[in-house]
Amino acid sequence: MPYAPSNGLQLYYETHGDPGGRPLLLVMGLGAQMTLWEPAFCDLLAEKGFYVIRFDNRDVGLSSKIEGGPQPDIAKAMAGDHSTASYTLWDMADDAAGLLDHLGIERAHIAGASMGGMIVQCMAIRHGGRVRSMTSIMSTTGNPAVGQPQPEAMAALLAPPPATREAAIEQGLKTWTIIGSPGYPPDEAELRARIASDYDRCFYPEGTARQLVAILATGDRTEGLRGVRVPTLVIHGEADPLVTLSGGQATAEAVPGARLLTFSGMGHDLPKQLWPEITDAMAALAREADGG
């Protein structure tokens, strides 16, 4: 089983493509397993010359769980009291850098979705020498004045964890209906199958709560982003109700020279119909960063 020792943890990871290609580390979002980077999406990136690495963040999937610390109190954290945080996104950025160490990769292209976008921002700020380019997808800067969720999306995010497998599938369907792309609705049977598969792989709501507190405890990265000096692409859905468009706009404004690419009809997911344009933009960014 491919596990990497990193930052005192064990991170589960998989790779796609030629190890001699451009290394690309994909970082997923809140409570999301690496499986949300669908294999066909990774294969498309590999076809464009990337050596793709996807992994489970701490507290999700098959990677280490952070047990024995304070019980995460989301309400307190939302009110500004971060005392129940077991870690921050800076620690998760260190995890990702440690995975690169394990793989013997000195510098990589990095891309993250949602919380994963926040993590790669932290990597670019703290580990800038390890980063060839950064793609921040459906994410935000941590400034509470931007990117805030719409009420229905926030309610879905904070819904109590389901008690059974069937309830988890139904709740997942409801959540993705709320936060997904209105212009590109998914096939319900495919979505149900993916939710069920992820539930069977790992269902661990405690980790999601700790990750959410970590996001809140990390704070505003805007000033740090002003010092980032790597080619940067910011991708955002214009119909994203969970991390609204102003979060992506603020990210692009903060990073010098960043390009903002938005899609009408795209919510808080990666619709298959947009994969060709998204992966083309990521490949173009990598060519720019690598000088051709």
Side-chain angles (χ1 to χ4, degrees):
M1 301 287 281
Y3 281 93
S6 174
N7 204 16
L9 307 174
Q10 293 289 321
L11 300 181
Y12 181 88
Y13 72 95
E14 292 178 0
T15 63
H16 297 251
D18 183 349
R22 304 179 198 264
L24 171 62
L25 183 69
L26 299 179
V27 189
M28 206 9 103
L30 173 67
Q33 303 180 58
M34 69 173 200
T35 48
L36 275 192
W37 298 112
E38 295 189 42
F41 180 79
C42 296
D43 290 342
L44 189 57
L45 287 164
E47 290 168 12
K48 296 180 187 300
F50 287 110
Y51 176 52
V52 181
I53 305 134
R54 60 178 186 156
F55 71 103
D56 287 325
N57 285 309
R58 61 167 68 193
D59 257 342
V60 74
L62 306 184
S63 290
S64 295
K65 309 302 188 291
I66 312 301
E67 299 168 330
Q71 184 68 23
D73 191 322
I74 294 170
K76 275 187 178 180
M78 292 180 72
D81 178 353
H82 304 138
S83 59
T84 63
S86 294
Y87 50 86
T88 69
L89 300 183
W90 299 107
D91 298 302
M92 299 180 80
D94 292 344
D95 296 349
L99 173 55
L100 296 180
D101 290 339
H102 173 75
L103 294 171
I105 297 171
E106 184 177 347
R107 298 177 67 237
H109 303 280
I110 59 175
S114 196
M115 182 188 73
M118 304 173 196
I119 293 170
V120 298
Q121 291 170 24
C122 289
M123 289 183 71
I125 295 167
R126 177 177 280 188
H127 302 284
R130 309 295 302 276
V131 179
R132 297 189 191 190
S133 74
M134 174 176 71
T135 301
S136 180
I137 306 169
M138 49 186 160
S139 194
T140 187
T141 61
N143 178 349
V146 299
Q148 289 302 305
Q150 296 172 0
E152 191 179 17
M154 175 61 90
L157 182 70
L158 298 179
T164 66
R165 182 178 187 272
E166 187 54 39
I169 294 170
E170 294 307 316
Q171 182 171 305
L173 284 169
K174 180 180 178 182
T175 298
W176 285 111
T177 299
I178 292 168
I179 69 172
S181 297
Y184 306 94
D187 177 275
E188 184 175 323
E190 287 183 10
L191 180 58
R192 180 181 292 273
R194 190 191 78 200
I195 293 167
S197 176
D198 282 349
Y199 180 95
D200 293 340
R201 185 174 185 265
C202 180
F203 178 67
Y204 190 63
E206 297 92 335
T208 302
R210 281 193 291 266
Q211 288 182 353
L212 181 52
V213 173
I215 291 172
L216 297 166
T218 299
D220 189 350
R221 293 172 296 282
T222 304
E223 286 307 310
L225 289 169
R226 296 193 200 286
V228 170
R229 293 295 182 269
V230 299
T232 296
L233 172 66
V234 178
I235 298 173
H236 217 102
E238 296 172 13
D240 190 334
L242 186 60
V243 180
T244 45
L245 180 58
S246 61
Q249 292 169 329
T251 304
E253 289 167 4
V255 180
R259 178 194 173 201
L260 176 62
L261 175 62
T262 68
F263 294 97
S264 63
M266 175 178 161
H268 201 74
D269 59 1
L270 288 171
K272 291 181 180 180
Q273 296 92 329
L274 299 179
W275 288 1
E277 193 167 348
I278 289 170
T279 56
D280 280 347
M282 292 171 68
L285 180 75
R287 287 193 297 272
E288 173 196 339
D290 293 342

